[in-house]
């Protein structure tokens, strides 16, 4: 028995070391990006490269904010990502609840079509979607970057499993007590599936924050650009100042890291909920 415990301890130690090394490999590009934002361009090109800057240089961010509407870019990204993620969660939860708990004709066929939409990449219907936006005269507006993101088959599919696992007896008891469908959904069902909603919000937020292609097509003016589009423009500009470009990429990455660290607990519980049945 003691030998088995020792073998298990050795296995756990080895597996933890491997996971730690892999985590460092994945984190190294992010670490290099964050530290290089505080280096001069000459130090970034220095060979052999250094991880930490010799002297913290704030000139990259000064040039970024003084020569570009970077604050407006960040504000646009916050508005687009937060609004898109929040509204898509609302619509996905309503659709998932309807498919999981309500009965209506054609439900199975419609659910299959919703799930099948997950397999269709957005790039395949981006042309007709662009024509619709142009017809509504929404180009270079917030609604053009928010409204097309509201219907997501992935969000419906993810929350469907959460609603499906809730016993029907809870809903039936609430109906006997006189609660209507909206009250049941808002006061009983949503608190139970809160972990799934939190995980879906984070996934959607990161997706819409990085939605470069659609935001590039919609943002015609520099004031309507998001940080992902603005930072990419710095990368593509004929500018030898690599420090400025790295600072733009850092500004685009930091909010996502902060959001994930703040809501990591909800993300982990939402993803793993239902994985283990008692």
């Amino acid at each position: 028995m003691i030998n088995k415990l020792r073998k298990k301890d050795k296995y756990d130690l080895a597996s933890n070391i491997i996971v730690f090394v892999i985590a460092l490999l994945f984190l190294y590009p992010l670490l290099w990006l964050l530290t290089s934002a505080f280096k001069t361009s000459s130090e970034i090109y220095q060979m052999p490269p250094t991880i930490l800057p010799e002297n913290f240089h704030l000139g990259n961010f000064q040039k970024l904010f003084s020569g570009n509407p970077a604050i407006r870019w960040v504000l646009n990204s916050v508005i687009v990502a937060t609004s898109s993620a929040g509204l898509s969660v609302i619509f996905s939860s309503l659709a998932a609840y309807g498919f999981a708990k309500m009965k209506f004709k054609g439900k199975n066929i419609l659910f299959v079509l919703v799930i099948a939409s997950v397999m269709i990449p957005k790039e395949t219907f981006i042309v007709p979607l662009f024509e619709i936006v142009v017809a509504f005269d929404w180009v270079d507006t917030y609604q053009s970057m928010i409204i097309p993101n509201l219907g997501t088959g992935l969000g419906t599919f993810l929350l469907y499993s959460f609603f499906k696992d809730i016993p029907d007896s809870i809903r039936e008891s609430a109906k006997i007590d006189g609660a209507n469908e909206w009250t049941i959904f808002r006061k009983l069902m949503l608190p139970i599936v809160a972990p799934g909603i939190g995980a879906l919000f984070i996934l959607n937020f990161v997706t819409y924050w990085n939605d470069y292609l659609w935001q590039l097509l919609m943002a015609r003016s520099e004031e309507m650009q998001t940080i992902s589009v603005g930072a990419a423009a710095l990368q593509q500009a004929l500018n030898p100042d690599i420090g400025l470009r790295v600072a733009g990429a850092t500004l685009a990455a930091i909010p996502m890291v902060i959001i994930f660290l703040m809501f990591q607990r909800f993300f982990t519980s939402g993803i793993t909920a239902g994985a283990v049945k008692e």
Side-chain angles (χ1 to χ4, degrees):
M1 185 65 180
I2 295 177
N3 291 334
K4 289 183 179 180
L5 291 175
R6 288 178 178 175
K7 289 182 179 179
K8 185 176 182 302
D9 292 339
K10 292 180 179 179
Y11 174 80
D12 291 340
L13 178 62
S15 60
N16 289 334
I17 292 175
I18 293 174
V19 170
F20 180 74
V21 172
I22 294 176
L24 289 180
L25 293 176
F26 278 98
L27 287 174
Y28 178 76
L30 179 61
L31 176 63
W32 182 90
L33 179 68
L34 295 177
T35 57
S36 296
F38 297 96
K39 299 177 182 178
T40 61
S41 296
S42 59
E43 187 177 357
I44 294 175
Y45 285 118
Q46 179 179 323
M47 286 296 173
T50 58
I51 297 179
L52 297 177
E54 297 177 358
N55 297 302
F56 277 86
H57 177 66
L58 299 177
N60 297 326
F61 289 99
Q62 292 174 353
K63 286 184 288 186
L64 176 64
F65 285 102
S66 62
N68 303 279
I71 296 178
R72 179 62 186 266
W73 293 347
V74 175
L75 178 62
N76 291 339
S77 290
V78 171
I79 293 174
V80 171
T82 304
S83 301
S84 298
L87 292 174
S88 64
V89 165
I90 293 174
F91 286 106
S92 296
S93 59
L94 288 169
Y97 175 74
F99 284 123
K101 295 301 179 184
M102 302 180 70
K103 295 180 180 180
F104 53 90
K105 290 184 179 181
K107 182 179 76 171
N108 294 332
I109 297 176
L110 185 59
F111 183 68
V112 170
L113 293 176
V114 171
I115 301 305
S117 67
V118 178
M119 298 180 290
I120 303 176
K122 188 176 181 179
E123 290 74 13
T124 58
F125 55 85
I126 200 169
V127 173
L129 185 60
F130 179 80
E131 292 179 351
I132 293 174
V133 172
V134 172
F136 279 101
D137 196 21
W138 284 352
V139 178
D140 208 33
T141 62
Y142 286 123
Q143 55 262 37
S144 66
M145 292 183 277
I146 295 175
I147 293 179
N149 298 324
L150 301 188
T152 59
L154 179 61
T156 302
F157 176 71
L158 176 63
L159 295 181
Y160 172 83
S161 60
F162 284 87
F163 284 112
K164 194 68 175 177
D165 290 339
I166 300 176
D168 292 333
S169 58
I170 297 177
R171 180 167 171 261
E172 294 170 358
S173 299
K175 281 192 170 184
I176 293 174
D177 292 336
N180 57 32
E181 204 69 61
W182 173 248
T183 301
I184 296 172
F185 171 76
R186 183 169 55 90
K187 293 186 176 182
L188 292 179
M189 298 297 177
L190 285 184
I192 297 176
V193 301
I197 291 176
L200 179 60
F201 179 84
I202 296 174
L203 288 174
N204 286 344
F205 183 90
V206 174
T207 300
Y208 300 139
W209 185 276
N210 293 323
D211 191 9
Y212 170 76
L213 178 59
W214 183 249
Q215 294 171 4
L216 176 65
L217 293 174
M218 292 297 102
R220 298 295 179 85
S221 62
E222 191 176 37
E223 289 74 19
M224 284 302 300
Q225 289 181 353
T226 57
I227 185 60
S228 60
V229 177
L234 294 176
Q235 302 291 329
Q236 298 170 1
L238 298 177
N239 187 349
D241 192 349
I242 186 64
L244 175 63
R245 295 152 69 178
V246 171
T250 302
L251 186 63
I254 287 178
M256 288 189 298
V257 176
I258 294 175
I259 289 293
F260 183 80
L261 291 178
M262 289 175 59
F263 298 99
Q264 181 182 7
R265 178 170 60 88
F266 299 98
F267 179 79
T268 305
S269 61
I271 292 297
T272 58
V276 179
K277 297 290 184 180
E278 295 182 358

